[in-house]
């Protein structure tokens, strides 16, 4: 059986895999057995990748819409016709409204340097990724403190002794390597603290579980800092050398005693103090995990900053068992992979339409944009019209709060193009669908993986495309050729693309043959904590008082403000993920839909009894934006102020029969309200009522 080493794409974690192939068919997908930390393991979603290939409900040909949006009236078209159609419309839009009226949004992927180049070459600043909806405020928090983005940092779970997770539900919201490493560390005596208003699977693995009142983690953190500072438990040496603004923090946290935080969080003052002391005893091999999402309120930036500041106070930065700055190809003295974005491209002078790095979101990352602003821009045509939208591996209708609004906004587009592998909610509204080959049928740009030991990993096609589909990098190239910007895409084949990337690195395609990746260091690389740490802030230190924030008019340490309490009769809506599904994209997978066909509404037993709701009964959940119906899951394992549902269900595309109408969508209920500093939508800002049916 020939083996093909590649990279999984059933979610975005991109685990290295080995695909066992027989007669151009996939027999088995397993984790790459050679890769340290993976050793052959795969998660349920990764294994279910086999069912993508032969799925009769996948996209098989380019499609052009023939009826009103959303009615499912399509005709099949040849690639030539579909691409010509898109290009003709793009020309019309550019002529009428200017280049800036074309936007592209995608879930960042290995070919993002290609899509970015495409937009730049077209003359539009409006390139977006999903990032703001995932961890935009975390990104801003990192930049405000260290000058690095969150992507440039990692956590050393292998050597950690004390790990604190704020709703970072590792054992369900999976990263395979992390789960395996963490499991081993726990077996070897590491302690786990888990904080969540809901008992997730990770909570059941914790040594200390804290059922915190929803949205109050920041109060807990200020009290933890209070104890660490007032009891002199912090790492004085590290703080003196590497922190700017410690005195300001020390003064700032004085009112925030554990007794004060008990009122806010519902966690006993004594337990808060104990947590601080335990963590300090394990320093520097302590991680307060900065997570991805957790609370998602309008003040999220300050929660993320507080978590990072706790690590800095304990000196758990750039050391074994702590946070580390990811090392790149440059750190091992090699040239980085070439990217198309490295070419001389036309300068784009028009400001972004979403206000990232502008007036609306002065410190949000313009490299990713604030994608949840896009529906408003499209609908209101302010600051200018955006009339053409390309969506590549992204489903904004389900991944941006307030689906109804997003759908209405998309009605105002002259051209909506979806590049997907199946009918997403967004594709269903598109004018043209360009079907991409699945990750098992295509290769992509080589991935540079930063870490303690940097490496390069390759996605290679395992089998030939089953239908009339193409890789995304080819689709963009063909559009570019037709638009007269083909010179910025100097490749024809996958090998051309790989060779372009590898030029000057001293590595060749054949180096990937043995196991699909190339390691660039034998030993973990750390910077010198005594004198050699390289923070990219103006002070060269971790900035508790942040130049980035202050110069843009935002305070570094604003007084604590509680999240708005739920009005009587309302609940806070919390959301999260399950181990067997990826966001909004696997609910129609033939294997995974059997494992978990629908979501439920978790509701506290006492509240359910008050409302007359039985376990398993259908309920109606209503917010100011919309309404969904799903089954109740009555449980003691959730805080009485909140209800919870899994994200990703409640699909409305009839052609996707396994997910159609199953469960409810959180995005229908959520309001599109953002953290104006950090740039993320406050997904859990919304309150809902629940009624038995
Ligand atoms: N299986 C699977 N794994 C995935 C993904 C996937 O789709 N499926 N996606 C990947 C991606 S892109 C991401 S961003 C990560 C997400 O990884 P996580 O951030 O771990 O993911 P969520 O599942 O969103 O979990 C959020 C948790 O926060 C809790 N929570 C809600 N409100 C509060 C609060 O006020 N305080 C605290 N402390 N907790 C709160 C919720 O109850 C929930 O358990 O997962 C990654 N891994
Ligand atoms: N309401 C709400 N919104 C959220 C979240 C939430 O919990 N609730 N979570 C946020 C988070 S953490 C994240 S990371 C984002 C994720 O947001 P999205 O990126 O929108 O979600 P995904 O499910 O990862 O996939 C999006 C699309 O990619 C398509 N796709 C899968 N594989 C391929 C491929 O090989 N090629 C192409 N072209 N397309 C492919 C899928 O069919 C799907 O339509 O959503 C964010 N938005
Ligand atoms: S976590 Fe699972 S689905 Fe995600 S990349 Fe890894 S194996 Fe694939
Ligand atoms: Mo995410």
């Amino acid at each position: 059986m020939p083996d093909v080493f590649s990279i999984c794409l059933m979610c975005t974690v991109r685990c290295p895999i080995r695909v066992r192939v027989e007669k151009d068919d996939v027999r088995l997908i397993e984790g790459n057995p050679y890769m340290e930390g993976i050793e052959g393991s795969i998660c349920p979603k990764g294994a279910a990748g086999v069912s993508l290939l032969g799925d009769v409900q996948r996209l098989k040909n380019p499609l052009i819409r023939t009826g009103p949006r959303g009615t499912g009236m399509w005709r099949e078209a040849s690639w030539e016709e579909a691409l010509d159609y898109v290009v003709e419309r793009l020309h019309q839009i550019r002529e009428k409204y200017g280049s800036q009226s074309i936007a592209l949004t995608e879930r960042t992927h290995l070919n993002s340097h290609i899509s970015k180049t495409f937009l730049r070459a077209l003359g539009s600043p409006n390139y977006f990724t999903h990032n703001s909806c995932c961890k935009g405020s975390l990104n801003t928090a990192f930049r405000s403190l260290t000058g690095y983005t969150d992507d440039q940092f990692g956590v050393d779970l292998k050597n950690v002794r004390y790990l604190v997770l704020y709703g970072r539900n590792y054992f369900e919201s999976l990263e395979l390597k992390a789960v395996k490493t963490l499991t081993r560390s726990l077996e070897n005596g590491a302690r786990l603290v888990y904080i969540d208003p809901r008992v997730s699977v990770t909570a059941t693995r914790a040594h200390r579980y804290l059922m915190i009142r929803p949205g109050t983690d920041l109060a807990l953190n200020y009290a933890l800092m209070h104890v660490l500072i007032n009891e002199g438990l912090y790492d004085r040496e590290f703080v003196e050398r590497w922190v700017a603004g410690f005195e300001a923090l020390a003064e700032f946290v004085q009112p925030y005693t554990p007794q004060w935080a008990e009122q806010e969080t519902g966690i006993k003052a004594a337990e808060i103090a104990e947590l601080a002391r335990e963590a300090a005893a394990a320093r520097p091999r302590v991680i307060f995990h900065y997570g991805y999402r957790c609370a998602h309120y309008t003040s999220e930036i300050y929660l993320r900053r507080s978590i990072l500041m706790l690590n800095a106070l304990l000196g758990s930065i750039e050391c074994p068992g702590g946070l580390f700055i990811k090392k790149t190809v440059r750190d091992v003295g090699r040239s980085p992979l070439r990217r198309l974005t490295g070419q001389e491209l036309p300068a784009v002078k028009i400001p972004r339409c979403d206000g990232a790095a502008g007036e609306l979101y002065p410190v949000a990352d313009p490299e990713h944009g604030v994608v949840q602003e896009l529906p408003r821009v499209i609908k209101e045509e302010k600051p200018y019209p955006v009339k053409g939208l390309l969506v590549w591996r992204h489903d904004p209708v389900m991944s941006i709060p307030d689906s109804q609004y997003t759908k209405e906004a998309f009605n105002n587009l002259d051209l909506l193009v979806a590049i997907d592998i199946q009918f997403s909610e967004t594709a269903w509204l598109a004018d043209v669908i360009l079907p991409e080959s699945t990750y098992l049928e295509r290769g992509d740009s080589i991935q540079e993986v930063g870490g303690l030991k940097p490496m390069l990993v390759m996605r290679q096609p395992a089998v030939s495309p089953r239908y009339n589909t193409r890789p995304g990098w080819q689709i963009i190239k063909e559009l570019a050729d037709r638009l007269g910007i083909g010179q910025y895409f100097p490749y024809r084949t996958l090998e051309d693309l790989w060779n372009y990337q590898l030029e000057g690195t001293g590595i060749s395609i054949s180096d990937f043959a043995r196991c699909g990746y190339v390691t660039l260091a034998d030993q973990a690389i750390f910077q010198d904590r005594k004198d050699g740490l390289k923070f990219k802030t103006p002070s060269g230190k971790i900035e508790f008082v942040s130049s980035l924030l202050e110069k843009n008019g935002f305070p570094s340490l604003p007084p604590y403000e509680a999240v708005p309490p739920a009005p009587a009769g309302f609940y806070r809506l919390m959301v999260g993920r399950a181990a067997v599904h990826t966001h909004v994209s696997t609910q129609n997978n033939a294997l995974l839909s059997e494992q978990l066909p629908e979501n439920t509404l978790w509701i506290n037993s006492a509240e359910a009894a008050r409302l007359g709701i039985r376990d398993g009964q259908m309920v109606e959940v209503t917010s100011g934006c919309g309404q969904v119906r799903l089954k109740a899951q009555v449980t003691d394992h959730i805080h009485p102020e909140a209800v919870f549902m899994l994200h990703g269900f409640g699909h409305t595309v009839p052609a996707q029969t396994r997910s159609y109408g199953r469960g409810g969508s959180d995005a229908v209920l959520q309001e599109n309200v953002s953290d104006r500093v950090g740039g993320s939508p406050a997904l859990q800002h919304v309150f809902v009522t629940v009624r038995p049916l």
Side-chain angles (χ1 to χ4, degrees), residues 116 127-129 131-132 135-137 139-140 143 148-152 352 354-358 361-371 548 677-680:
K116 261 187 205 171
Y127 167 80
F128 291 87
T129 78
N131 189 280
S132 66
K135 55 202 177 92
S137 295
N139 174 347
T140 308
R143 285 182 293 115
Y148 290 94
T149 66
D150 61 301
D151 279 339
Q152 294 172 303
R352 295 184 56 92
D354 57 349
Y361 293 92
V363 293
D365 192 346
E367 290 294 312
H368 294 284
V370 180
V371 71
L548 180 70
V677 188
S680 281

Side-chain angles (χ1 to χ4, degrees), residues 168-169 173-174 195-196 198 215 217 293 577-578 581 583:
R168 175 67 190 93
N169 186 10
S173 301
L174 302 172
I195 304 160
D196 193 325
R198 177 182 77 101
D217 302 64
R293 313 184 44 261
R577 275 136 261 282
H581 282 294
H583 301 292

Side-chain angles (χ1 to χ4, degrees), residues 9 149 162 206 236 292 319 356 426 430 543 600-601 609 683:
L9 186 58
T149 66
Y162 200 86
R236 221 172 270 270
Y292 288 91
C319 62
T426 303
E543 296 189 345
T600 56
L601 185 81
L683 289 184

Side-chain angles (χ1 to χ4, degrees), residues 374-643:
L374 200 46
R376 184 191 52 76
V377 171
I378 293 170
K379 193 161 175 188
E380 294 181 6
E381 304 192 356
K382 283 185 192 147
Y384 48 76
V386 168
K387 289 291 181 184
L389 178 64
L390 288 89
V391 179
W392 182 358
R393 195 186 158 225
H394 191 192
D395 192 356
V397 170
M398 277 195 110
S399 303
I400 291 179
D402 200 349
S403 300
Q404 196 47 42
Y405 186 94
T406 307
K407 284 184 182 174
E408 281 168 28
F410 285 0
N411 258 332
N412 203 23
L413 289 167
D414 290 353
L415 177 70
L416 176 59
V417 180
I419 304 177
D420 209 303
I421 57 167
Q422 61 187 348
F423 281 116
S424 66
E425 300 287 309
T426 303
W428 196 246
L429 302 179
D431 298 281
V432 182
I433 304 181
L434 303 175
E436 184 164 24
S437 311
T438 66
Y439 70 100
L440 294 166
E441 302 160 317
R442 69 171 200 259
D444 282 324
S445 297
I446 298 170
Q447 184 189 13
E448 188 179 326
V449 186
L452 287 170
K453 301 178 197 171
M455 62 173 107
L456 303 178
V457 193
M458 193 180 251
R459 174 173 292 136
Q460 318 196 44
V463 294
S464 47
R466 291 297 182 264
Y467 298 102
N468 188 17
T469 61
R470 291 184 180 172
W473 51 262
Q474 184 185 344
I475 298 173
I476 296 290
K477 157 102 177 139
E478 290 182 32
L479 287 173
D481 284 343
R482 285 172 165 75
L483 285 159
I485 50 172
Q487 73 271 28
Y488 297 111
F489 303 85
Y491 59 81
R492 239 172 23 84
T493 63
L494 182 61
E495 285 69 28
D496 292 346
L497 181 57
W498 286 342
N499 282 326
Y500 177 89
Q501 289 187 280
L502 289 170
E503 198 181 298
T505 61
I507 295 161
S508 63
I509 294 176
S510 59
D511 293 330
F512 293 85
R514 197 184 72 84
C515 55
Y517 63 92
V518 177
T519 27
L520 300 169
D522 302 332
Q523 297 294 323
I525 307 169
F526 287 101
Q527 294 175 4
D528 168 19
R529 263 161 58 94
K530 213 163 156 29
D531 256 332
L533 295 189
K534 295 184 182 70
F535 297 111
K536 293 186 176 167
T537 48
S539 63
K541 294 185 176 188
I542 299 173
E543 296 189 345
F544 285 5
V545 175
S546 158
S547 346
L548 180 70
L549 294 185
E550 307 269 333
K551 89 166 181 249
N552 284 287
F554 298 119
S556 300
L557 299 165
Y560 179 79
E561 239 181 88
V563 295
F570 284 80
Y571 298 90
R572 166 98 48 208
L573 178 64
M574 304 194 312
V575 299
R577 275 136 261 282
V580 297
H581 282 294
T582 295
H583 301 292
V584 302
S585 52
T586 56
Q587 287 70 20
N588 199 56
N589 179 286
L591 294 171
L592 297 172
S593 62
E594 268 180 31
Q595 298 286 318
L596 185 60
E598 62 187 9
N599 60 350
T600 56
L601 185 81
W602 290 40
I603 181 163
N604 179 276
S605 311
E607 295 300 313
R610 228 167 41 75
L611 297 171
I613 294 169
R614 281 172 290 103
D615 188 43
Q617 183 177 358
M618 287 299 289
V619 291
E620 188 175 79
V621 187
T622 310
S623 76
C625 295
Q627 196 168 69
V628 302
R629 290 177 170 201
L630 72 178
K631 283 184 194 144
Q633 182 171 337
V634 176
T635 170
D636 291 336
H637 291 166
I638 184 164
H639 195 283
E641 289 176 23
V643 291

Side-chain angles (χ1 to χ4, degrees), residues 109-120:
H109 49 72
L110 299 181
N111 301 313
S112 290
H113 67 122
I114 295 175
S115 26
K116 261 187 205 171
T117 304
F118 180 72
L119 265 208
R120 276 283 296 282

